[in-house]
Amino acid sequence: MPVDSSQPYDDQNIFAKILRGEIMCNKVYEDEHVLAFHDIAPLAPVHVLVIPKGAYVSWDDFSRDASDAELTALSRAVGEVARLVGADAQGYRLLANTGKRSGQEVAHLHVHIFGGQPLGPMLAK
Ligand code: 5GP
């Protein structure tokens, strides 16, 4: 069921469980506001998810409600993680599915970093 980005935050979503340490992840990076880990079903040789630690459903509520510190931390962390996994040299793609039409599946904001190969067209035609 795609996420409706206007829905209230549900702390039983899978990334909330990862943040609480109830489910394992393959961590790449962590700071006060952000956690990054490898996607469990990678769609490219590099496929990392960068998430805020705060309770945000999607880019919609994050961009509206997050503090300046949280906004800055996520933005900086995305670039830092891309460098950590070596995706910066050849280029990479960022994706944040947001709400129903995007096909967002997990109701906790996440930014995908894809890299490690040519990534093809931006959207399927
Ligand atoms: P969305 O479609 O919501 O933008 O992307 C959700 C992503 O979360 C998918 O790429 C999926 O493979 C990943 N994912 C779902 N469950 C887990 C999990 O338990 N661990 C990790 N590391 N990734 C997950």
Side-chain angles (χ1 to χ4, degrees):
M1 184 79 163
V3 170
D4 177 348
S5 55
S6 66
Q7 71 191 46
Y9 186 81
D10 173 7
D11 70 3
Q12 292 308 304
N13 77 75
I14 200 90
F15 294 167
K17 292 180 181 179
I18 286 175
L19 284 167
R20 290 194 295 267
E22 295 167 12
I23 290 178
M24 298 287 290
C25 72
N26 188 357
K27 184 163 75 175
V28 176
Y29 173 89
E30 183 170 16
D31 66 27
E32 181 187 355
H33 296 295
V34 177
L35 179 68
F37 49 89
H38 292 281
D39 196 288
I40 202 167
L43 296 173
V46 171
H47 187 176
V48 178
L49 303 171
V50 187
I51 71 172
K53 290 185 173 177
Y56 301 103
V57 174
S58 76
W59 198 267
D60 187 42
D61 55 340
F62 182 71
S63 60
R64 187 184 57 226
D65 302 334
S67 67
D68 288 354
E70 290 174 306
L71 287 157
T72 300
L74 186 68
S75 177
R76 288 207 190 279
V78 166
E80 177 66 14
V81 170
R83 288 186 287 275
L84 281 173
V85 298
D88 56 319
Q90 298 292 326
Y92 56 91
R93 179 172 293 159
L94 306 179
L95 175 72
N97 287 318
T98 303
K100 282 187 282 196
R101 282 190 165 171
S102 73
Q104 181 181 355
E105 289 176 357
V106 178
H108 183 112
L109 170 60
H110 46 287
V111 178
H112 297 257
I113 301 177
F114 297 107
Q117 68 181 25
L119 293 167
M122 190 160 53
L123 290 175
K125 292 186 181 163

